[in-house]
């Protein structure tokens, strides 16, 4: 799958177009959210828990802040953590997967059991423990999420590399005396990249959800607004019992739509690589 | 109806393209008919049309009449609904499928899968268990096989199970679609002998579908050769083999490996068959035919080419095949 | 059942558990500063802290501490909660049944419903039913489960106040009979269990659907249909049992998300299970409890994985004879 094909796929399918549109809008808001926000998201006022009005499109919070502004500003936290954590996870997972699949033997045995353990240990409790032990900040969250979600990628990459290793062109390169580094760089990596890419896209979704969950549990960066921390504040201040739907629905909906967009793109690429997972109708 | 199966002007299309474009076939009682041709010529599609098992998106037209022993009126398969077909399938016409490897449910025991079909058609309390043992014995397997799972059997054993399955309800017609392709040579011969023996013993009519004329030569009474969704030649097996009346048949015969024959390697048929549903204009074989001429841009009719024989070639009956090198000018139109 | 196969799986599970226990120690003693746990005590003098350090064995060398920890864990002594001053094991023991009730109900319903919907969608692939089911399940798959929980509270406890918004029983209620009490608990269970179900449903649906789509193209399905079998029997007797196999393996990997759901959903509904306990411990920086719940969650997932392996073994004859 070349880069061009990968782009075509996004433009030619409804799922790709939906994903691309949502992703584009989200990234735009993540960059310019502060500028376009009508209010200072942390400026409290006496208009407490007001329903949507002309002044406050999505109403106000329990301390009279503008929900819409918070939503716009909070986008950046979700996007940065989602993408950065997925990147770490992808790098770590690919490195471990390639090493384990390519070198085999004891390297594989040790790395594989490590992978197995990380697959089995429930991720959220592990993230909670790490986030609680360290002082929560944006980059701590990135590290915590990235370091706990790589095992799945490692497993998939390992399987792919193991089949590649037996293929003729790799055997030939080895017989010709090419170094391991060279073979990995020119033969293994290019053939594993589409798989890593598809997986990373799916990990972005996991990372966004993880950030939201940690923030919701009060383990987010206290100096930043995120969709998860908005939900935490909304829930903590009793907004649901007050019937303040304008405060409760938007952050969750944003998370859902972004995760959905990313997941659909991820599935799209996964289907190309592995046609067993077919989501679309035949066309 | 004299024949047990009569197909008239069968057409199968998929997205507006004809996969099978109007074929007639007769199958007499107890007869064995070979249906030959390269892959993609519509053999399997024809078989599935007889069972009305074509996947969604396929349209079939033309009449298919089945006259099992003792029935007053022939069953018009083409007029049957899905529910109506359920009593015809296996009861009257059954099938041995291509690819024995995946033809059985991997998580159910052999015995269960055989009994299930018997119970389905004969009702429960029909002594299905007893029948399963008989069937396994009939195809040369021990009763212990009933307690096995498919993955515990060899390819040959699985294909025998599939034959037992096909015979489970005493059908009048059995269609065997490439029953030996997935097997090694020794197994191939055994399975063919088994089919032939059972046909004689049970008096059923057999349609043997294959791309391998050698396989059919030993088993079949009559043969029909298909090319690009049409029948191009049909007639008694021995006559067609000894004196083919269509250049395609001739080529199929020549490309057979001749053990102890004069020639070593036979020349392969030049080019490949057209894509299903997209035949060239006129005679579909024209682009590959060394004898093709101007007239071949007109589609030939399937016309009489001798006693009890038909061929779809403008030049048939051929009294003498020209030497290839003289005629090869036509190979590249 | 094949004894050698089983003992291998059990050994692997025990090994993983050992790893988790060791990992747990280093996580809390090495990465986290143990004195931070003690700094919570209001106005503790340095002498008092030193005394406490001695009490906890924190003044001893790391290896000694490790040996103590392994011994304690083996005796199921997980320390004392800093908040309630009760044994962590007792806290866990009290909370466990509630979590099992919630997780069990949610998983059971999600499995049945997800499987059923997956089969329906796969057999009506590309039709309206499929599109609708796919849309609904992708949405629940992508949305945070605690947000779904909050929405459920908003709709069913605030707008239409027909169900309680939290807790496991009506506070202060006196029950005439055990039945009345069970009914009250069931009423409280509805919303959290629905949230749990909706969280798991999407995964089960998507796995079952693609697995069914896959199986329905297999040769043996055509063969079964050719034998004159009714289509629904072909689906239920032959396609579904085969399609369930990937569901069992893949859902085993998802047990971690069940745990995540337990934490957030219990928090939302003040359901007194292990998740709520974890949430309290996060807020109070109650490390012994956090350590204990981490251990029990890991143990739960390892056990669930082992059970899934056994189920797979039971369902797939091809594994049995290897």
């Amino acid at each position: 799958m070349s880069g061009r094909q990968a782009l075509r796929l996004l433009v030619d399918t409804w799922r790709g177009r939906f994903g691309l549109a949502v992703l584009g809008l989200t990234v735009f808001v993540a960059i310019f959210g502060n500028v376009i926000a009508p209010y200072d998201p942390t400026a409290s006022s006496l208009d407490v828990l007001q329903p949507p009005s002309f002044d406050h499109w999505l109403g106000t919070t329990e301390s009279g802040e503008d929900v819409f502004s918070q939503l716009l500003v909070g986008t950046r936290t979700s996007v940065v953590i989602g993408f950065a954590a997925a990147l770490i996870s992808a790098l770590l997972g690919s490195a471990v997967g390639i090493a384990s699949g390519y070198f085999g033997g004891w390297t594989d045995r040790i790395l594989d059991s490590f992978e197995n353990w990380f697959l089995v240990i429930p991720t959220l409790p592990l993230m909670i423990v790490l986030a609680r032990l360290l002082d929560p900040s944006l980059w701590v969250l990135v590290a915590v999420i990235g370091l706990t979600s790589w095992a799945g990628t490692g497993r998939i990459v390992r399987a792919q590399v193991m089949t590649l290793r037996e293929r003729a062109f790799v055997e030939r390169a080895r017989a010709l005396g090419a170094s391991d580094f060279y073979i990995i760089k020119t033969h293994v990596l290019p053939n594993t990249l589409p798989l890593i890419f598809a997986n990373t896209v799916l990990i972005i979704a996991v990372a966004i959800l993880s950030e939201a969950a940690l923030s919701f549990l009060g383990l987010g960066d206290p100096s930043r607004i995120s969709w998860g921390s908005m939900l935490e504040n909304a829930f903590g201040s009793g907004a649901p019992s007050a019937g303040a739907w304008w405060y409760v629905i938007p952050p969750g909906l944003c998370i859902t739509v972004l995760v959905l967009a990313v997941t659909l793109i991820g599935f799209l690429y996964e289907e190309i690589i592995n046609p067993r997972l077919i989501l679309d109708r035949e066309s | 109806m004299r024949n047990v199966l009569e197909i008239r002007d069968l057409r199968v299309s998929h997205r507006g393209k004809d996969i099978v474009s109007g074929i007639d076939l007769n199958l007499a009682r107890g007869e064995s008919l070979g249906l030959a041709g390269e892959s993609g010529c519509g053999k399997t599609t024809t078989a599935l049309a007889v069972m009305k098992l074509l996947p969604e998106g396929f349209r079939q037209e033309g009449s298919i009449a089945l006259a099992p022993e003792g029935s007053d009126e022939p069953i018009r398969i083409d007029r049957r609904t899905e529910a109506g077909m359920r009593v015809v399938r296996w009861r009257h016409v059954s099938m041995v499928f291509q690819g024995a490897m995946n033809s059985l449910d991997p998580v159910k025991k052999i015995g269960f899968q055989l009994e299930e079909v018997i119970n389905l058609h004969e009702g429960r309390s029909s002594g299905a268990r007893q029948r399963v043992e008989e069937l396994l014995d009939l195809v040369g397997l021990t009763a212990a096989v009933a307690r096995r799972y498919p993955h515990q059997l060899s390819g040959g054993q699985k294909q025998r199970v599939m034959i037992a399955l096909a015979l489970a309800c005493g059908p009048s017609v059995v269609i065997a679609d490439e029953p030996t392709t997935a097997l090694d040579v020794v197994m191939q011969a055994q399975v063919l002998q088994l089919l032939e023996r059972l046909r004689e013993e049970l008096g059923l009519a057999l349609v043997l579908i294959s791309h391998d004329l050698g396989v059919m030569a030993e088993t079949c009474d009559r043969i029909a050769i298909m090319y690009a969704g049409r029948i191009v030649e049909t007639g008694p097996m021995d006559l067609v083999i000894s004196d083919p009346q269509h250049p395609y048949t001739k080529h199929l015969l020549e490309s057979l490996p001749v053990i102890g024959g004069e020639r070593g390697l036979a020349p392969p048929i030049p080019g490949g068959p057209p894509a299903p549903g997209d035949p060239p204009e006129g005679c579909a074989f024209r682009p590959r035919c060394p004898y093709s001429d101007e007239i071949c841009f007109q589609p030939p009719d399937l016309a009489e080419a001798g006693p009890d024989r038909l061929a779809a070639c403008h030049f048939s009956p051929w009294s003498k095949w020209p030497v290839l090198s003289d005629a090869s000018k036509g190979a590249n139109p | 059942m094949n004894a050698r196969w089983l003992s291998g799986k059990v050994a692997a599970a025990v090994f993983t558990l050992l790893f988790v226990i060791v990992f747990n120690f280093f996580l809390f003693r090495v990465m986290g500063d143990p004195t931070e746990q003690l700094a919570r005590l209001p106005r503790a003098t340095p002498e008092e802290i030193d005394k406490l350090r001695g009490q906890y064995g924190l003044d001893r060398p790391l290896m000694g501490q490790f040996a103590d920890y392994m011994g304690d864990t083996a005796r199921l002594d997980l320390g004392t909660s800093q908040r309630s001053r009760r044994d962590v094991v007792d806290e866990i023991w009290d909370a466990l049944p509630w979590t099992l009730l919630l997780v069990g109900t949610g998983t059971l319903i999600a499995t049945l419903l997800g499987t059923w919907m997956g089969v329906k969608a796969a057999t009506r692939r590309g039709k309206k039913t499929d599109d609708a089911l796919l849309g609904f399940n992708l949405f629940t798959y992508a949305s945070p489960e605690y947000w779904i929980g909050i929405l459920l509270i908003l709709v069913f406890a605030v707008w239409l106040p027909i169900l309680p918004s939290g807790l496991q029983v009506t506070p202060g209620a006196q029950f005439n009979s055990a039945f009345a009490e069970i009914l009250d608990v069931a009423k409280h269970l509805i919303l959290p269990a629905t949230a749990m179900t909706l969280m798991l449903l999407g995964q089960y649906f998507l796995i079952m659907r693609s697995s069914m789509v896959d199986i329905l193209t297999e040769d043996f399905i055509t063969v079964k249909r050719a034998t004159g079998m009714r289509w629904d029997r072909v689906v239920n007797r032959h396609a579904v049992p085969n399609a369930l196999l990937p569901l069992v393996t893949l859902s085993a990997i998802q047990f971690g998300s069940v745990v995540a759901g337990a934490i957030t959903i219990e928090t939302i509904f003040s359901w007194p299970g292990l998740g709520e306990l974890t949430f309290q411990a996060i807020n109070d920086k109650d490390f012994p409890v956090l350590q204990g719940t981490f251990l029990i969650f890991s143990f739960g997932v390892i056990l669930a994985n082992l059970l899934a392996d056994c189920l797979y073994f039971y369902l797939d004859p091809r594994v049995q004879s290897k």
Side-chain angles (χ1 to χ4, degrees):
Chain A
M1 184 170 64
S2 69
R4 192 186 215 112
Q5 274 175 298
L7 277 178
R8 274 211 77 88
L9 208 58
L10 287 180
V11 183
D12 286 354
T13 59
W14 70 265
R15 284 190 278 153
R17 284 195 294 270
F18 170 78
L20 210 58
V22 170
L23 220 55
L25 185 67
T26 313
V27 170
F28 176 80
V29 173
I31 297 171
F32 299 107
N34 304 32
V35 186
I36 48 179
Y39 294 90
D40 175 354
T42 52
S44 42
S45 71
L46 291 175
D47 297 331
V48 174
L49 277 190
Q50 290 300 304
S53 64
F54 189 75
D55 289 333
H56 299 280
W57 291 359
L58 290 176
T60 58
T61 71
E62 78 281 2
S63 27
E65 300 139 331
D66 184 48
V67 173
F68 184 56
S69 301
Q70 287 201 345
L71 208 59
L72 293 178
V73 173
T75 309
R76 185 180 295 172
T77 318
S78 298
V79 170
V80 167
I81 293 184
F83 282 66
L87 194 69
I88 292 184
S89 165
L91 289 176
L92 201 59
S94 318
V96 172
I98 289 176
S100 154
Y102 183 80
F103 293 108
W106 275 105
T107 320
D108 180 37
R109 237 171 278 179
I110 292 165
L111 288 175
D112 189 45
S113 5
F114 218 62
E115 240 164 54
N116 275 332
W117 289 331
F118 266 93
L119 272 179
V120 169
I121 294 175
T123 323
L124 188 68
L126 182 57
M127 288 181 195
I128 287 173
V129 167
L130 287 172
R132 180 76 293 178
L133 286 172
L134 306 162
D135 260 334
S137 75
L138 185 83
W139 298 108
V140 164
L141 281 178
V142 168
V144 163
I145 296 170
L147 292 175
T148 49
S149 53
W150 58 272
T153 312
R155 166 58 57 86
I156 292 166
V157 169
R158 171 176 176 262
Q160 169 81 355
V161 173
M162 277 168 96
T163 62
L164 281 174
R165 198 175 53 155
E166 306 306 321
R167 298 268 277 279
F169 55 88
V170 174
E171 302 224 315
R172 205 183 309 130
R174 203 180 292 140
L176 289 170
S179 71
D180 288 335
F181 179 73
Y182 177 83
I183 296 174
I184 289 175
K185 199 185 74 181
T186 51
H187 294 301
V188 174
L189 204 54
N191 286 297
T192 321
L193 225 46
L195 194 70
I196 294 175
F197 179 72
N199 211 260
T200 308
V201 174
L202 289 173
I203 298 281
I204 293 175
V206 173
I208 290 167
L209 284 172
S210 301
E211 183 276 329
L214 287 175
S215 296
F216 178 71
L217 293 171
L219 292 168
D221 185 336
S223 66
R224 280 167 210 274
I225 296 169
S226 82
W227 295 336
S229 73
M230 284 178 76
L231 281 174
E232 182 208 2
N233 290 331
F235 181 72
S237 63
S241 350
W245 54 269
W246 59 87
Y247 191 8
V248 168
I249 292 177
L253 199 60
C254 284
I255 299 171
T256 305
V257 172
L258 181 57
V259 169
L260 191 62
V262 173
T263 307
L264 287 177
I265 295 178
F267 280 172
L268 202 61
Y269 287 120
E270 220 173 40
E271 275 164 34
I272 309 296
I273 304 160
N274 175 12
R276 285 167 62 94
L277 302 155
I278 304 148
L279 202 68
D280 234 358
R281 60 181 63 184
E282 272 173 292
S283 60
Chain B
M1 208 166 106
R2 201 170 50 85
N3 296 314
V4 65
L5 177 70
E6 284 186 8
I7 300 175
R8 289 290 168 270
D9 198 28
L10 176 71
R11 285 170 193 280
V12 180
S13 58
H14 180 57
R15 293 176 196 231
K17 288 184 169 178
D18 280 359
I19 309 296
V20 174
S21 24
I23 65 167
D24 295 340
L25 271 180
N26 292 328
L27 185 66
R29 275 171 219 293
E31 183 188 39
S32 94
L33 169 73
L35 196 55
E38 287 162 290
S39 48
C41 70
K43 297 167 299 192
T44 301
T45 310
T46 306
L48 290 175
V50 172
M51 302 284 288
K52 271 213 165 165
L53 280 175
L54 288 167
E56 235 174 288
F58 283 79
R59 267 175 61 94
Q60 72 181 81
E61 289 166 82
S63 90
I64 301 169
L66 186 73
E69 208 87 31
S71 66
D72 318 326
E73 280 218 359
I75 300 168
R76 285 293 296 271
I77 286 178
D78 51 300
R79 293 181 186 167
R80 289 259 167 162
T81 57
E82 175 68 19
M85 275 312 289
R86 281 205 293 270
V87 275
V88 177
R89 286 179 195 146
W90 238 248
R91 169 87 278 189
H92 299 302
V93 48
S94 67
M95 206 165 157
V96 179
F97 283 85
Q98 209 167 357
M101 298 308 144
N102 310 317
S103 292
L104 289 159
D105 183 343
V107 303
K108 296 276 175 1
K109 286 181 179 164
I110 303 297
F112 174 87
Q113 301 195 44
L114 287 168
E115 266 179 56
E116 189 183 28
V117 170
I118 297 164
N119 285 333
L120 196 67
H121 289 279
E122 328 256 313
R124 296 183 186 282
S125 75
S126 56
R129 192 147 298 184
Q130 180 70 30
R131 179 98 181 99
V132 167
E133 279 186 28
E134 289 169 20
L135 282 168
L136 289 174
D137 186 52
L138 196 65
V139 296
L141 294 169
T142 59
V145 168
R147 290 189 300 275
R148 300 255 174 87
Y149 286 102
H151 73 278
Q152 293 168 310
L153 304 182
S154 71
Q157 284 175 316
K158 270 189 233 178
Q159 199 55 298
R160 282 166 192 266
V161 170
M162 289 313 291
I163 294 170
L165 189 71
L167 301 174
C169 304
S172 318
V173 178
V174 173
I175 303 172
D177 184 4
E178 305 267 11
T180 59
T181 354
L183 306 177
D184 63 60
V185 184
V186 180
M187 275 299 157
Q188 280 187 9
Q190 285 185 6
V191 166
L192 283 174
Q193 279 163 11
L194 175 69
L195 273 174
E196 178 62 9
R197 197 193 83 217
L198 291 172
R199 183 178 68 85
E200 273 164 20
E201 279 177 15
L202 306 173
L204 42 87
L206 176 73
V207 180
L208 180 65
I209 297 176
S210 179
H211 63 278
D212 185 350
L213 285 184
V215 159
M216 298 183 167
E218 297 166 29
T219 322
C220 299
D221 308 324
R222 269 191 329 120
I223 185 167
I225 313 265
M226 281 187 81
Y227 188 80
R230 287 175 198 278
I231 289 177
V232 293
E233 176 162 8
T234 169
M237 191 74 213
D238 45 346
L239 291 180
V240 173
I241 284 191
S242 57
D243 178 24
Q245 283 301 311
H246 194 283
Y248 180 58
T249 315
K250 184 170 174 283
H251 272 291
L252 281 181
L253 288 167
E254 279 167 359
S255 57
L256 277 179
V258 185
I259 298 169
E262 297 161 28
R263 282 167 307 169
L265 272 174
I269 306 177
D278 207 10
E281 172 197 3
C283 171
F285 189 57
R286 174 180 49 78
R288 298 170 76 189
C289 183
Y291 311 107
S292 68
D293 211 334
E294 282 298 311
I295 191 173
C296 298
F297 283 90
Q298 307 290 323
D301 290 328
L302 191 59
E304 200 165 316
D308 198 21
R309 302 186 57 182
L310 299 168
C313 177
H314 292 294
F315 303 119
S316 83
W318 294 82
S319 44
K320 181 173 174 288
W321 292 96
V323 181
L324 257 181
S325 55
D326 293 348
S328 59
K329 61 174 175 18
N332 304 304
Chain C
M1 197 176 267
N2 189 325
R4 239 187 83 193
W5 178 89
L6 187 65
S7 55
K9 286 286 174 195
V10 171
V14 170
F15 201 49
T16 309
L17 188 63
L18 272 176
F19 169 78
V20 168
I21 291 172
V22 173
F23 185 70
N24 196 18
F25 173 82
F26 284 98
L27 205 58
F28 282 89
R29 303 287 161 102
V30 181
M31 280 197 62
D33 178 8
T35 46
E36 202 192 327
Q37 303 171 20
L38 309 168
R40 222 185 81 78
L41 295 170
R43 287 185 295 277
T45 61
E47 294 80 42
E48 276 176 316
I49 288 184
D50 274 349
K51 199 177 141 216
L52 272 167
R53 283 178 75 97
Q55 224 172 316
Y56 278 91
L58 293 173
D59 50 354
R60 300 180 50 199
L62 199 62
M63 283 324 286
Q65 285 185 46
F66 180 64
D68 285 354
Y69 162 81
M70 291 304 281
D72 288 348
T73 309
R75 285 193 302 275
L76 285 182
D77 176 3
L78 300 178
T80 313
S81 160
Q82 288 166 8
R83 184 173 58 98
S84 67
R85 296 274 150 216
R86 292 178 65 208
D87 278 353
V88 173
V89 172
D90 291 340
E91 294 256 13
I92 289 176
W93 203 242
D94 286 349
L96 187 62
W98 294 109
T99 295
L100 288 180
L101 179 63
L102 175 61
V103 163
T105 315
T107 312
L108 185 71
I109 300 175
T111 313
L112 296 177
L113 207 59
T115 310
W116 180 76
M117 293 198 311
V119 172
K120 286 289 160 231
T123 49
R124 287 164 183 70
R125 190 166 162 215
K127 302 223 171 74
K128 283 249 158 53
T129 321
D130 184 27
D131 288 346
L133 286 174
L134 202 55
F136 172 74
N137 281 295
L138 278 171
F139 187 83
T140 59
Y141 179 75
S143 54
E145 66 284 352
Y146 44 93
W147 180 62
I148 298 275
I150 294 177
L151 292 188
L152 288 173
I153 292 178
L154 201 61
V155 174
F156 295 102
V158 180
W159 288 343
L160 323 161
I162 47 173
L163 288 168
S165 69
L167 296 178
Q168 76 286 24
V169 284
T170 312
Q174 296 293 317
F175 297 107
N176 309 329
S177 63
F179 180 72
E181 192 174 351
I182 290 173
L183 207 66
D184 192 53
V185 170
K187 216 172 135 188
H188 284 80
L189 181 63
I190 293 177
L191 288 187
T194 307
M196 194 83 194
T197 304
L198 287 176
M199 168 189 145
L200 297 172
L201 197 60
Q203 297 170 359
Y204 291 144
F205 169 81
L206 288 173
I207 297 170
M208 191 62 187
R209 180 181 175 280
S210 70
S211 167
M212 271 300 277
V213 165
D214 218 37
I215 292 290
L216 287 176
T217 63
E218 295 271 343
D219 289 347
F220 73 86
I221 296 295
T222 316
V223 175
K224 294 300 172 201
R225 223 185 115 211
T227 61
M229 207 175 283
R230 294 177 65 93
W231 179 237
D232 51 352
R233 189 184 164 94
V234 176
V235 169
N236 296 328
R237 277 302 183 90
H238 296 285
V240 171
N242 279 282
L244 278 174
L245 297 175
L247 186 77
V248 173
T249 2
L250 289 173
S251 60
I253 299 169
Q254 312 281 10
F255 284 134
S257 62
V258 175
V259 168
I263 295 173
T264 54
I265 290 171
E266 287 182 8
T267 301
I268 287 288
F269 291 96
S270 313
W271 187 259
L274 292 169
E276 243 262 318
L277 195 62
T278 308
F279 180 65
Q280 299 284 349
I282 295 172
N283 282 342
D284 300 337
K285 293 203 171 186
D286 193 345
F287 285 97
V289 172
L290 213 50
Q291 206 171 2
T293 53
F294 177 67
L295 210 56
I296 187 81
F297 279 138
S298 304
F299 177 71
V301 172
I302 293 168
L303 192 67
N305 268 295
L306 186 63
L307 290 178
D309 276 342
C310 291
L311 185 62
Y312 193 90
F313 186 86
Y314 171 76
L315 288 175
D316 192 348
R318 283 165 292 190
V319 191
Q320 290 164 25
S321 57
K322 259 181 199 159

